[in-house]
Amino acid sequence: MGGVLSALALMFLLAASMLPAGRLGCAALAGVVGAVVLVRCGWKTGMMSWIAVSVLSLLLSPSKGSAMLYTIFFGPYTLMKNRIERLNRAPLEWLLKFLFCMAVSVLVFFFSADILGLFPPVIAGKLWLFLPAVAVVFLAYDVVFSKMIAMLIARLPK
């Protein structure tokens, strides 16, 4: 099951090259598939799936930006979210998730501005404009992500 779901995540990342406007969405969907792997198959399989999908997407995908976003944010976030939410202390969980998001966002911002060209010229070089936008999008993503995981777990056969 882990391998089949990893292949599905890879397909989403490959689809990003055909849907340039959906690069971010395809990487996010690959992260949701990773969450299903984690929930259904366990931590080790989730980790192996993230590594396999990351390596294969970086090698095979024409859309390196989406592959990088999955590799450094959406893939690891799935694993981090799983561990963080086991604390069962909502304020601490949100703080840790936001710290993870902001740290990765700063790395993506500086790395991708020069190499991957992910951001439009309006945002390039303006971290003060980028981080608040990321925080708002991240909040929405985390809430939707949690609801999607709950829905998938409820509907998938045991």
Side-chain angles (χ1 to χ4, degrees), residues 36-112:
V36 175
V37 172
L38 182 64
V39 169
R40 295 302 301 248
C41 304
W43 175 261
K44 288 181 185 177
T45 305
M47 179 71 78
M48 289 189 317
S49 174
W50 166 56
I51 292 168
V53 171
S54 295
V55 169
L56 289 172
S57 67
L58 289 169
L59 291 173
L60 301 174
S61 178
S63 177
K64 300 300 184 211
S66 295
M68 286 298 296
L69 285 173
Y70 175 81
T71 299
I72 63 176
F73 182 75
F74 291 108
Y77 180 68
T78 300
L79 299 167
M80 294 295 297
K81 179 178 175 64
N82 178 270
R83 292 293 188 204
I84 290 171
E85 288 183 351
R86 290 180 180 194
L87 297 173
N88 290 324
R89 294 175 54 203
L92 180 60
E93 291 172 15
W94 277 107
L95 175 66
L96 293 173
K97 289 189 281 187
F98 266 106
L99 286 174
F100 176 80
C101 177
M102 291 298 119
V104 171
S105 296
V106 168
L107 285 173
V108 167
F109 183 81
F110 289 115
F111 181 70
S112 69

Side-chain angles (χ1 to χ4, degrees), residues 5-15 30 52-53 56-58 60-61:
L5 289 172
S6 295
L8 179 62
L10 182 60
M11 287 179 60
F12 280 126
L13 292 171
L14 293 173
V53 171
L56 289 172
S57 67
L58 289 169
L60 301 174
S61 178

